Amino acid sequence: APATGVIEFISERSGHVGLRLPAKPIEVLAHVSGRVVDVYEGKSATIETRAAFIQGIFGVGGERRGELRLLDVDNAERVRDVHIPDDCRGLVLIGGTMPDADAMKKAAAGGASGLVVGAVDDRALKSYLGYDLGIALTGDEDIPMTLIVTEGFGDIPLAERVAALARELQGRQA
């Protein structure tokens, strides 16, 4: 055989031989720090941590992590490029609503891991992505920064409970 492994079966009828190749370890990121309290060999691990949960209703860009940083904007204020720090490497920025394409592009170019806002305009989203999204299956977009929307599309402010939680947890990992 062109590979080393363990013979799992031999079919006398067809002559097929089933060969199980050596297992390859894989790494799966937990995206949280904490204490491993249980391991299910070859399947999963349970991690105990203190955490908070902010529910997104829509997002693009997949899972990322970074330090939580509240933007200096009102919950109902539209996020513009002037609200985005020049160097936001490794930050998850949160605040405001309806970021324009320039704000999203500046955050991505500055190294932000994520941007969490109340709402988004579909034209600005299209400009950031470089194409019209079309379907509602998201998360695999090839973009440098994740965008999470907590309330929906249109001119909807970031919920105060989300902003309050972000204020409380600023500087922590998200």
Side-chain angles (χ1 to χ4, degrees), residues 15-32:
H16 289 120
V17 176
L19 186 65
R20 178 177 293 274
L21 300 177
K24 292 181 184 177
I26 61 169
E27 182 177 298
V28 177
L29 298 177
H31 293 288
V32 295

Side-chain angles (χ1 to χ4, degrees), residues 6 55 68 80 102 104 106 109 159:
V6 175
Q55 178 75 41
L68 190 62
R80 302 292 177 245
D102 290 340
M104 289 186 273
K106 181 179 179 184

Side-chain angles (χ1 to χ4, degrees), residues 49-125:
T49 189
R50 286 183 46 100
F53 183 71
I54 294 174
Q55 178 75 41
I57 197 166
F58 174 81
V60 292
E63 294 182 10
R64 291 191 169 89
R65 63 177 176 249
E67 179 185 320
L68 190 62
R69 175 78 52 87
L70 193 61
L71 293 174
D72 188 19
V73 295
D74 183 75
N75 295 352
E77 189 173 354
R78 293 181 179 203
V79 178
R80 302 292 177 245
D81 62 344
V82 297
H83 299 120
I84 305 295
D86 291 331
D87 181 13
C88 45
R89 190 160 319 285
L91 297 179
V92 175
L93 304 170
I94 186 167
T97 193
M98 300 272 296
D100 62 22
D102 290 340
M104 289 186 273
K105 290 174 183 176
K106 181 179 179 184
S113 298
L115 176 62
V116 180
V117 295
V120 70
D121 175 82
D122 62 335
R123 291 173 303 235
L125 179 62

